[in-house]
Each structure stands twice: as C-alpha cells, then as structure tokens.
Amino acid sequence: MPEPEIDTSVPHSARIWDYWLGGKDNYPVDREAGDAVLRVLPVIADSAKQDRAFLGRAVRFLVSQGIRQFLDLGTGLPTVDNTHEVAQRVAPESRIVYVDNDPLVLAHARALLTSRPEGACDYIQADIRDTPAVLAEAARTLDFERPVALMLLGVLNHILDDGEARRLVADLLRGLAPGSHLVISHTCDATTGELDGEAMRRAVREVMERGGTPIRARSPEEIAELFTGTRLLDPGVVSCSRWRPDPSPWREPEVPHFSGVAVL
C-alpha cells in the first residue's frame, strides 16, 4: 500500500487535538492553530483530556452492560487508552472496528490493531458518511445480529448540516441490533456559569479561517437531537467531565465538549 499523502500546509483537527493532548503527531501549522484557539478558549486543552477520560468511562460502562462489540467512527490519532485497550482490559474477547479517512490515522493504524488474541481489531479507511460501505466492511469483524456500541466521539461536529448529521446517525442505527448503544461527544457552544459559548464560536472561526477541518459547535439541545430513536441514559447530555465521573471530593468543572450515552 502506498504511503498516504499528508498535507502539512493547513491545520487538521485530529493533529490539533493530538497537540492539546500532549502528543507528537502534529506539525507547526497544527501547533500554531492550537495555540491560537487556546488564546481564545484556554479551557479547550482540558476539554480534550476530559473527552479522552469520558471515552474510558463510557467503554467500561458498556462492557459492564455486556457489550463486547464496538464500532468507533472518526477514530482520530492513536493515543493512550484507545477503545480496544479499555474494552479488552476488562473483557479480552471484545471486538473493535475503527473507521477514519484521515491519511495520518491510516499511517498509524497498526497501533490500533494490537488486539488481545481472545478478541479482534480491524481498521477501515472510509468516509463515515458512506454508511453502507462502513457497515459492510465492519461486518467482517462484528456480528450485527448482536448488540454493538456505536462510538461517535468528536466526529459529528465535522458534519456542519444538522439534518445530515441526524440522518447519518439514523442510518447507522438502522444497521444495529436492539440493545446496542450510541455514544456521542461533541463540541458545544453552551453558555453557562462556567462556559462562554461566544468564546467557543470564536475558536471555531479561528480554525476555519486558517483553512482547518470544518467544524460546528452545537448546543446541548441540538446534540440531544442526535440521539433521536434511542433512550438517553442518565445523566443525559452533559459536559463530558460530568458524565458519570469517577468518585471525587470535588465537582468536575464543565468543559465545552458535551456527551451522552443511549441504548437502542
């Protein structure tokens, strides 16, 4: 397979996210864009870390509910505690399929395929909007007659049209068995006592004006609409830092990345 072409002349959301997480798979243009966003929205780096922590808590919860299959769309760059690592640490027989169309993710896909022998991992290079192809390819590894966890973390915010985002989720859910779960995290422009929605909107414009990956922040109510056709579990759509946080004497601060988990 030829080496994927990686454009280092414009910032890319996955590489900016990697920079905020302290990773090394980024370029000067990504760091410049990331720093520009930090000047407008300093909380965004903490938001990236909280979103990663949410992934771990959500996957552990799903495993506790008997889920052993995961379809992770918009995978992003491999980092610490990817979906398969969290799931197989608790249930080694878990099967995971990652989907992304970022050439840099493809270049690092081997890191996503280190499955334990009892389970399985696969990586599909595809546009997540091509749902028939995604489901057909994923069926090589996953049994769609049994429940699957559909993971959409930090990816629907790249689909700017609300109707298209809702249709994508609905199309994917139609391919899943009852008892499947839907997990979403999404950039949020809520204004609360702790969050400045206008600062988030300025940060989005900053990335877009630099030629970066198109991105859309949505309100908590708009994010909740993405769960149409499922039953949202408590505590609903909240800051990812406050979705069933680990026990602590301190209340987790809100971050501008909201999340939820639902059952089909």
Side-chain angles (χ1 to χ4, degrees):
M1 180 182 295
E3 285 294 315
E5 294 185 7
I6 299 170
D7 186 354
T8 62
S9 66
V10 294
H12 190 284
S13 63
R15 301 193 309 248
I16 296 172
W17 202 253
D18 177 76
Y19 171 55
W20 288 332
L21 286 171
K24 298 179 180 179
D25 293 312
N26 50 75
Y27 298 93
V29 68
D30 307 306
R31 296 189 283 276
E32 291 168 9
D35 288 339
V37 172
L38 285 169
R39 287 192 289 271
V40 175
L41 193 68
V43 72
I44 195 67
D46 190 42
S47 189
K49 295 179 177 68
Q50 291 285 358
D51 186 56
R52 175 57 47 167
F54 162 72
L55 180 151
R57 295 196 306 277
V59 170
R60 288 192 294 273
F61 166 75
L62 293 166
V63 171
S64 77
Q65 300 302 296
I67 298 295
R68 297 294 184 270
Q69 302 190 109
F70 297 81
L71 180 56
D72 189 332
L73 277 68
T75 304
L77 291 167
T79 182
V80 177
D81 277 352
N82 298 291
T83 298
H84 74 283
E85 293 169 317
V86 178
Q88 292 186 344
R89 191 175 300 137
V90 182
E93 71 275 19
S94 297
R95 305 175 73 82
I96 296 89
V97 172
Y98 294 103
V99 184
D100 209 300
N101 66 345
D102 181 349
L104 188 56
V105 177
L106 175 61
H108 290 269
R110 292 185 191 89
L112 295 169
L113 301 176
T114 54
S115 173
R116 295 199 180 190
E118 302 95 324
C121 284
D122 195 10
Y123 176 80
I124 301 170
Q125 178 79 1
D127 188 323
I128 68 167
R129 290 169 292 190
D130 187 0
T131 53
V134 167
L135 294 172
E137 289 290 306
R140 297 181 310 186
T141 303
L142 306 179
D143 177 3
F144 285 109
E145 297 298 315
R146 297 169 52 235
V148 172
L150 175 62
M151 313 284 291
L152 293 162
L153 275 65
V155 63
L156 293 173
N157 37 259
H158 296 304
I159 299 178
L160 305 188
D161 181 76
D162 291 338
E164 183 182 3
R166 290 193 296 269
R167 284 192 298 274
L168 169 63
V169 176
D171 288 347
L172 290 164
L173 290 177
R174 275 194 290 273
L176 305 186
S180 293
H181 285 65
L182 171 63
V183 183
I184 294 174
S185 72
H186 196 297
T187 305
C188 185
D189 60 2
T191 295
T192 69
E194 298 180 48
L195 298 177
D196 181 350
E198 181 51 40
M200 169 55 78
R201 290 185 283 275
R202 288 199 304 272
V204 167
R205 290 195 294 270
E206 181 73 45
V207 173
M208 301 267 283
E209 288 169 2
R210 289 171 177 265
T213 313
I215 190 169
R216 162 82 189 279
R218 291 185 167 93
S219 70
E221 295 76 18
E222 290 169 329
I223 297 170
E225 289 179 1
L226 299 170
F227 288 93
T228 298
T230 67
R231 177 171 59 86
L232 259 174
L233 303 178
D234 289 338
V237 173
V238 295
S239 168
C240 62
S241 57
R242 292 183 176 171
W243 192 90
R244 305 193 182 194
D246 295 326
S248 168
W250 298 282
R251 181 170 168 79
E252 293 289 348
E254 280 191 311
V255 295
H257 219 78
F258 276 43
S259 61
V261 177
V263 63
L264 184 62

